[in-house]
Amino acid sequence: MASTVMAFSTPSQLHSLPNPKLPNPTLTKPLPLPLPKPLPKFPAVAKTLTGTLAAAAAAAALSPLPSLAAEIEKAALFDFNLTLPAIAAEFLFLMVALDKLYFTPLGKFMDDRDAAIRAKLGDVKDTSAEVKQLEEQAAAVMRAARAEVAAALNQMKKETSAELEAKLAEGKRKVEAELAEALQALEKQKEDTIKALDSQIAELSQEIVKKVLPVA
Amino acid sequence: MNVIPCSIKTLKGLYDISGVEVGQHLYWQIGGLQIHAQVLITSWVVIAILLGSVIIAVRNPQTIPTDGQNFFEYVLEFIRDLSKTQIGEEYGPWVPFIGTMFLFIFVSNWSGALLPWKVIQLPHGELAAPTNDINTTVALALPTSVAYFYAGLTKKGLGYFGKYIQPTPILLPINILEDFTKPLSLSFRLFGNILADELVVVVLVSLVPLVVPIPVMFLGLFTSGIQALIFATLAAAYIGESMEGHH
């Protein structure tokens, strides 16, 4: 903290530097402390005051705390040196390395996977059409089977009813034949009876005539 | 006369309590040039984390992703989405740039908040997020400028420079100025946010070591993520802007 404060308030006056390039600390200048402004009326007094203060400052900086002067060095916040090109080179190296190891291969991998997934999705859409076709085929098969079954059923019905009718007709014919026979027999019996009756009628009429008419 | 020693003593006390070191670096000399070693070390760790996790997770991609692969696929989709939103349909070639930008800044920022860097004592300076050094942020912002110039020039040839007098030639100075303010604002925004975030956490920890800093730490994590997103989004937006046609 102290170094910050010192660095920003009196950057050049207090320090001894390890940096050989920079100028040596000048300890003779007065510290810019809030001194009262020398009055123009008393220039001599002001001069001596400043001189004394400067001497005091120099003494204070040198004698009481010799270690502090060494510790608080100039805060070199804005010194540009070889670090700049070194970091720039490191950055370029890192860029190439990351491109080779990370951006290009993983990017390509991700793009390929994207394309593969997209293709698979397209395939899935195609299969749905296929499924539809298969469904239609199944429906057609079902329809055909149903029609076949219905036809078979109809035929069977027809056959059965034809058989039934035939049997029925036969029965009818039998019954009719029997009926006709019976009627015929009845007629014959009737004729026979009538014939018998006729002969009896002749006998009876002769007897009646005999009885009625006197024997002459 | 005792004012100055007293104030310095007070400062020394504060210094001992907090132990914040701002703008102090572990210097390495390489060919007469200086380099901030702590930034370099932490950036190596960040790069190692990124490459290691990527190699482990993406080494053998499965059609049905495993946990790690799933996470990295999510990240990649996020980056692609971001690039596509900002750049448009021709975002493909810019995904590595935007993605590396986002991942590097994000992991750097979070490493500053989550990794116990302070456990490792350096002879000078201290380990922290690489992004709290202005060198790092400028090193990320300058390639962004190069990238959007490259994008515009390859897309439109020299006609790209026609945008400097759009919509009117009066804006020429402002349009030129923009090319300088873009990397400047990019780098300083990131640098300032991360540095301020770490400082606030450290100062709060030094003042109240318990409970109180925790919400600020979460806020710091949030800010760090947002800053990474902002940097990547703006980089993509600049690239998209220089590629789009203006009529």
Side-chain angles (χ1 to χ4, degrees), chain B residues 37 90 100 117 234:
Chain B
E90 297 171 44
T100 311
W117 292 120
L234 279 178

Side-chain angles (χ1 to χ4, degrees), chain A residues 68 71 73 76 83 90 102 113, chain B residues 23 43-44 63 72-73 124:
Chain A
L68 187 61
E71 270 182 59
E73 64 166 57
T83 318
E90 280 186 10
Y102 176 28
R113 186 174 49 194
Chain B
S43 72
W44 290 341
T63 309
F72 277 95
E73 283 187 13
H124 201 253

Side-chain angles (χ1 to χ4, degrees), chain B residues 142-159:
Chain B
L142 286 182
T144 307
S145 294
V146 174
Y148 77 73
F149 268 101
Y150 172 78
L153 286 174
T154 48
K155 179 89 187 293
K156 289 186 276 197
L158 287 177

Side-chain angles (χ1 to χ4, degrees), chain B:
Chain B
M1 288 300 134
N2 280 333
V3 173
I4 295 157
C6 278
S7 69
I8 287 178
K9 262 181 195 158
T10 325
L11 287 179
K12 172 95 166 83
L14 276 176
Y15 181 87
D16 284 343
I17 294 168
S18 64
V20 186
E21 299 176 22
V22 176
Q24 297 179 27
H25 308 291
L26 175 67
Y27 288 98
W28 283 349
Q29 296 277 349
I30 294 174
L33 292 165
Q34 288 189 319
I35 198 160
H36 293 164
Q38 86 277 14
V39 176
L40 220 58
I41 293 167
T42 48
S43 72
W44 290 341
V45 173
V46 166
I47 289 172
I49 290 172
L50 273 173
L51 290 183
S53 54
V54 161
I55 287 170
I56 290 169
V58 188
R59 176 190 45 197
N60 182 21
Q62 306 291 319
T63 309
I64 297 167
T66 51
D67 291 344
Q69 190 195 340
N70 207 356
F71 175 72
F72 277 95
E73 283 187 13
Y74 169 73
V75 172
L76 182 54
E77 292 217 341
F78 173 76
I79 291 163
R80 281 181 161 185
D81 198 41
L82 189 149
S83 315
K84 197 176 183 179
T85 316
Q86 299 298 333
I87 298 177
E89 281 309 312
E90 297 171 44
Y91 71 98
W94 293 103
V95 167
F97 182 77
I98 307 294
T100 311
M101 197 64 96
F102 175 75
L103 288 176
F104 182 70
I105 296 172
F106 187 81
V107 177
S108 293
N109 293 352
W110 273 37
S111 80
L114 297 179
L115 295 185
W117 292 120
K118 307 285 191 292
V119 172
I120 304 162
Q121 291 285 335
L122 291 184
H124 201 253
E126 62 186 11
L127 294 174
T131 34
N132 83 354
D133 191 291
I134 188 79
N135 285 286
T136 312
T137 60
V138 173
L140 296 174
L142 286 182
T144 307
S145 294
V146 174
Y148 77 73
F149 268 101
Y150 172 78
L153 286 174
T154 48
K155 179 89 187 293
K156 289 186 276 197
L158 287 177
Y160 168 69
F161 293 106
K163 76 157 191 176
Y164 285 101
I165 51 166
Q166 298 274 345
T168 141
I170 300 167
L171 291 179
L172 177 67
I174 290 177
N175 284 332
I176 292 174
L177 203 61
E178 255 194 354
D179 282 333
F180 294 96
T181 55
K182 276 173 182 172
L184 198 72
S185 64
L186 271 182
S187 54
F188 273 63
R189 180 185 307 114
L190 182 58
F191 167 65
N193 269 291
I194 301 311
L195 186 68
D197 168 40
E198 295 200 342
L199 271 183
V200 165
V201 169
V202 171
V203 167
L204 264 185
V205 167
S206 75
L207 296 177
V208 192
L210 287 174
V211 182
V212 175
I214 292 172
V216 183
M217 285 173 177
F218 278 109
L219 184 69
L221 284 182
F222 179 68
T223 323
S224 303
I226 291 289
Q227 286 308 318
L229 181 63
I230 287 176
F231 200 110
T233 310
L234 279 178
Y238 292 155
I239 291 167
E241 191 184 316
S242 65
M243 279 168 81
E244 78 181 356
H246 33 69
H247 306 288

